[in-house]
Amino acid sequence: MTVRVLLADDEHLIRGALAALLALEDDLVVVAEAATGPEALAMARAHRPDVAVLDLQMPGADGVTVATSIRDELPSCRTMIVTSHGRPGHLKRALAAGVRGFLPKTVSAQRLAELIRTVHAGNRYVDPELAAEAIAAGDSPLTAREAEVLECAADGAPVAEIARRTSLSPGTVRNYLSSAAAKLGAENRHTAVRLARSKGWV
Amino acid sequence: MTVRVLLADDEHLIRGALAALLALEDDLVVVAEAATGPEALAMARAHRPDVAVLDLQMPGADGVTVATSIRDELPSCRTMIVTSHGRPGHLKRALAAGVRGFLPKTVSAQRLAELIRTVHAGNRYVDPELAAEAIAAGDSPLTAREAEVLECAADGAPVAEIARRTSLSPGTVRNYLSSAAAKLGAENRHTAVRLARSKGWV
DNA sequence: CGGTCCCGCTGACAAATGTCATGAGGGGGG
DNA sequence: CCCCCCTCATGACATTTGTCAGCGGGACCG
């Protein structure tokens, strides 16, 4: 009984190498590869794999978004996320999207093969370290608006610009920015953005 | 005649997969692997490879730093950089460090193997797209101080903090920040930081 | 139904930041 | 040698932020 695998990663070097290594396993067969989010989705539709191994950061649409679409369209396809920079918030989003495996790229190929089987068998696996981080980081203390405003502030836009983009009054924007910074223990909006980013809350 | 290769990348998954693929080439042999900058240097000293393939971003010390050390200590060892996010400035720094190959991770393993041979033969290779970007981006218009101050501002530190760290007067810091932002066409220090980052000038 | 929380706004004040003019000193190049 | 640019500084000013208090409305919950 072979497991049909979809491999999505924007780095050809990694994708190709991975495909080659997984091909060495008798019970795994890579039926499709993709370099972008939309491509991954298209490949999934076309080849209906048993397990989709998705990179978190891809052009077009990120791994979690693709996983959500796959769950809706191909419920029988299990998804797992592989990532270099695992932020606590991403893990939470991924689990909400029905992802059954979440691991860093620091694992070995051998281990990845094992975990593909684990996931295919219907079990879940989350890297213990990433799980610990996620638990330690806890839930975002930010309200929806606070997060939205903070996100707009991420590229250094002035308050007026943020107010325009969010259709809010400039005063309101400043208030949200202020309360968000206070909740995060930051002394200004920019360090607040960095903090929120590091925890995957934006 | 075989080429002895050192492989440095912090992602075990990629490193292992790459090692496996390169092993398929008759004339290439991976004599050492490393997951961090310092480790890469230690491995280079211990195994004296012909070619060192270095990831740009590694814990401890980045690929260019390692390349510089290798050039000083092991002049016979050629170095090449492989990276996911190639910023124009990095390429410039890399060439200054005597790096002979610079390519994105989107290349295929097959191509990487070819290029290892190219570099080993004493030739250079720079990814055309990255080269074009580097030329388009041009040199940094920032003076040494401007860059230094901008870098300190990168984490959202207030002027007073930057002044302390650089041992400058707060007024001077603001002047540098202002002129740097003007040169980069940014409307405030934070967008200036982002711009400079995107071009690899900080 | 009252309490609590988020939303959205206003106004006012303090603090940080951006901008400009100005000046002294030093190094490099024409 | 003179000019230009970088360095470092000061002072003054406008603008942008951060902070705080307060108000009305709506949603949810006990």
Side-chain angles (χ1 to χ4, degrees):
Chain A
M1 182 194 105
T2 66
V3 182
R4 297 156 43 79
V5 178
L6 162 67
L7 221 50
D9 193 311
D10 57 331
E11 293 168 352
H12 192 297
L13 194 52
I14 284 97
R15 206 173 65 241
L18 228 48
L21 278 205
L22 293 181
L24 299 181
E25 308 284 327
D26 291 340
D27 54 342
L28 302 183
V29 47
V30 177
V31 295
E33 296 183 21
T36 69
E39 196 178 322
L41 197 51
M43 286 297 185
R45 285 198 195 100
H47 294 89
R48 308 186 145 266
D50 298 315
V51 177
V53 178
L54 308 168
D55 188 9
L56 190 51
Q57 50 243 339
M58 282 186 292
D62 76 3
V64 177
T65 309
V66 175
T68 306
S69 304
I70 287 181
R71 185 186 47 175
D72 294 344
E73 296 186 33
L74 303 164
S76 68
C77 175
R78 318 281 197 192
T79 54
M80 53 199 298
I81 299 276
V82 180
T83 177
S84 344
H85 321 289
R87 306 228 189 285
H90 293 155
L91 173 51
K92 206 154 299 190
R93 272 209 309 143
L95 291 180
V99 166
R100 307 189 77 91
F102 197 97
L103 39 151
K105 281 185 178 171
T106 49
V107 301
S108 68
Q110 182 62 43
R111 188 103 186 85
L112 175 62
E114 283 173 35
L115 293 175
I116 289 177
R117 293 187 197 103
T118 302
V119 165
H120 179 241
N123 301 307
R124 298 189 189 208
Y125 179 84
V126 171
D127 179 75
E129 190 150 351
L130 293 177
E133 272 179 44
I135 292 167
D139 278 329
S140 169
L142 304 176
T143 68
R145 287 291 177 213
E146 283 165 355
E148 185 189 355
V149 169
L150 205 54
E151 194 152 17
C152 287
D155 54 356
V159 170
E161 167 77 9
I162 302 174
R164 229 181 21 76
R165 274 196 265 177
T166 53
S167 305
L168 288 176
S169 137
T172 306
V173 169
R174 281 191 291 163
N175 286 342
Y176 281 144
L177 244 22
S178 185
S179 69
K183 283 179 181 175
L184 298 175
E187 32 181 51
N188 61 44
R189 70 168 83 174
H190 303 285
T191 65
V193 166
R194 287 199 318 119
L195 263 170
R197 275 264 166 79
S198 76
K199 305 215 170 189
W201 290 338
V202 292
Chain B
M1 184 193 104
T2 65
V3 182
R4 295 157 42 79
V5 177
L6 162 67
L7 220 51
D9 193 312
D10 57 329
E11 293 168 351
H12 192 297
L13 194 52
I14 285 101
R15 206 173 66 241
L18 228 49
L21 279 206
L22 292 181
L24 300 180
E25 308 285 325
D26 290 342
D27 56 340
L28 302 181
V29 47
V30 176
V31 295
E33 295 183 23
T36 69
E39 195 177 322
L41 197 51
M43 285 300 186
R45 287 198 194 102
H47 295 90
R48 307 187 147 267
D50 297 317
V51 177
V53 177
L54 308 168
D55 187 10
L56 190 52
Q57 48 244 341
M58 282 186 291
D62 77 3
V64 178
T65 309
V66 174
T68 307
S69 303
I70 288 181
R71 184 185 50 173
D72 293 345
E73 296 186 33
L74 303 165
S76 68
C77 175
R78 318 283 198 192
T79 54
M80 52 197 299
I81 299 277
V82 179
T83 178
S84 346
H85 322 288
R87 308 231 188 283
H90 292 157
L91 174 52
K92 206 153 298 188
R93 273 208 309 143
L95 292 179
V99 166
R100 308 187 78 91
F102 197 98
L103 40 149
K105 280 185 177 171
T106 48
V107 302
S108 69
Q110 181 62 43
R111 188 104 186 85
L112 176 63
E114 282 173 34
L115 293 173
I116 289 177
R117 292 187 196 102
T118 303
V119 165
H120 180 241
N123 300 309
R124 297 191 190 207
Y125 178 85
V126 171
D127 178 76
E129 188 150 350
L130 293 178
E133 274 179 40
I135 291 166
D139 279 330
S140 169
L142 304 176
T143 68
R145 287 292 176 213
E146 284 165 354
E148 186 189 354
V149 168
L150 204 54
E151 193 151 19
C152 287
D155 53 355
V159 171
E161 167 77 8
I162 302 174
R164 229 180 22 74
R165 276 196 262 178
T166 53
S167 304
L168 288 175
S169 136
T172 306
V173 169
R174 278 191 294 167
N175 285 342
Y176 282 145
L177 245 21
S178 186
S179 70
K183 282 178 180 176
L184 297 176
E187 34 181 45
N188 60 43
R189 71 169 83 174
H190 303 286
T191 66
V193 165
R194 285 201 321 118
L195 263 171
R197 274 267 166 77
S198 77
K199 305 215 170 187
W201 289 337
V202 292

